[in-house]
Amino acid sequence: MGELMRRYWIPALLAEEIPEPDCPPVRVRLLGEDLIAFRDSQGRAGLLGEHCAHRGTSLFYGRNEACGLRCIYHGWKYDVDGNVLETPAEPAGSDSKSKLRHLAYLCSEVAGVIFTHMGAPEKRPVMPRYEWFGLAAEQVCPIKSYLECNYLQGIEGDFDSSHTSFLHNNNLANAERLKRDGAPILEAEETAYGLRAISIRKVGAERLYVRTTPYIMPSFSIVPGPPTEKFDEDDIRGFRFWVPVDDRTTWLYILNMRKKPFADEERKTLRAWIDSDYRRLRNAANNYLQDRGQQKHSSYTGIAAMNPAEQDGCATESMGAICDRTREHLGYSDKTITALRKMLLAAVRVVQDGGKPPHVVRDPQEADFSRLRSVKSVLPAGTDWHKVMEGMGPNDA
Ligand code: FES
Ligand SMILES: [Fe+2]
């Protein structure tokens, strides 16, 4: 799976973590590798192996100056491409530096997120152009939060439509909600970008409420906006990236987006559940600040979340960092999860056999995913749900 992940561009850090040229470098752990991110004097982001090629001192403590990061032990200096620019403790004329190349991953900054490709350069894909490619800085609000479990446990929650009626029921008085939503009909379809999960709920006897959720390879999703009937470009929507730090921890990036610009106050609210180190205020160490009184009287969980991801965090972290799948008992409500696991296993086999897994885009002409959405719509009862896809192209939903 790690090899599969290295076929795609994935988020490495938020642009705000290295806000200006020559600012302090930061630690980045990604796919089990310890790296250092820095922004050079020209504003370019770089991602280097943490340990100096000379004798291993951490470049986290390095001097970020004059278009390179310099190790504080003997002054070796690296550029964003991993070239060794200077080895000042070596005799003049020594060319040891020209024989060396330090580990460096190419970075690309879009929508306030710094992406990287950690695979072989000759296999580097084109970055698909999703909706947020075309949005201005005012229209996006990217945040991230740390999750103490495997990435797959996290993202499976995005494809588990039935849990929303329970875990995210913040109003026990609304008993109708459980009756209506508790057991939706589920479908899953493979697509060019990965998988489409579909949930279909009855609304009274006359109507169906249909929502689709894309799983975008290797581990991205778009969750639907609020349960209104129509897609509204002014709803805040979240493009989500579940990025493995290692096998046991994950960064969840939520790229909030909408047409209307975000005000400063809104930006603060959107990240009010996360501290300055991107750790969640509600976490396993404090039992997610669960309130048993609230659980009895007002909400299903007793976790009064500012963001549903806080309740999801409790559900998925408490399975253990790597859930033992052999002890699960899957049912109908796990239909889309089963489809998702099969699709990922098939993609891993493709990589093992030397092939190209889904959604590795080589041709810029085929990189347009700007209309990819989570779709929601209300249909008359008895209608084929595919009707919600009418008029859409293969990359649209
Ligand atoms: S260990 Fe980095 S320069 Fe010597
Ligand atoms: Fe959830």
Side-chain angles (χ1 to χ4, degrees), residues 157 163 167-168 312:
H163 86 274
L167 186 74
H168 303 311
D312 292 322

Side-chain angles (χ1 to χ4, degrees), residues 69-194:
L69 187 59
R70 198 188 278 285
C71 176
I72 53 166
Y73 205 2
H74 314 93
W76 287 30
K77 182 177 175 183
Y78 305 90
D79 70 7
V80 291
D81 297 318
N83 297 307
V84 186
L85 301 176
E86 292 171 28
T87 53
E90 295 300 297
S94 148
D95 76 335
S96 58
K97 63 177 186 286
S98 63
K99 300 194 193 93
L100 271 172
R101 187 78 185 269
H102 191 58
L103 177 69
Y105 292 121
L106 190 69
C107 293
S108 176
E109 199 169 327
V110 192
V113 180
I114 297 171
F115 293 83
T116 190
H117 175 251
M118 293 174 71
E122 65 274 14
K123 290 204 159 73
R124 184 174 300 142
V126 176
M127 210 195 289
R129 294 188 304 277
Y130 303 109
E131 181 185 2
W132 35 269
F133 255 68
L135 294 177
E138 307 82 63
Q139 296 170 305
V140 292
C141 176
I143 59 174
K144 74 175 194 179
S145 69
Y146 194 63
L147 194 69
E148 292 179 75
C149 70
N150 184 271
Y151 81 96
L152 188 58
Q153 270 159 250
I155 195 167
E156 281 182 350
D158 289 352
F159 292 85
D160 173 4
S161 186
S162 57
H163 86 274
T164 55
S165 308
F166 307 94
L167 186 74
H168 303 311
N169 180 357
N170 296 322
N171 180 8
L172 288 178
N174 186 0
E176 276 308 302
R177 176 175 168 150
L178 269 186
K179 271 190 240 153
R180 191 183 69 223
D181 296 341
I185 295 169
L186 302 172
E187 300 285 352
E189 289 185 339
E190 289 196 14
T191 62
Y193 56 78

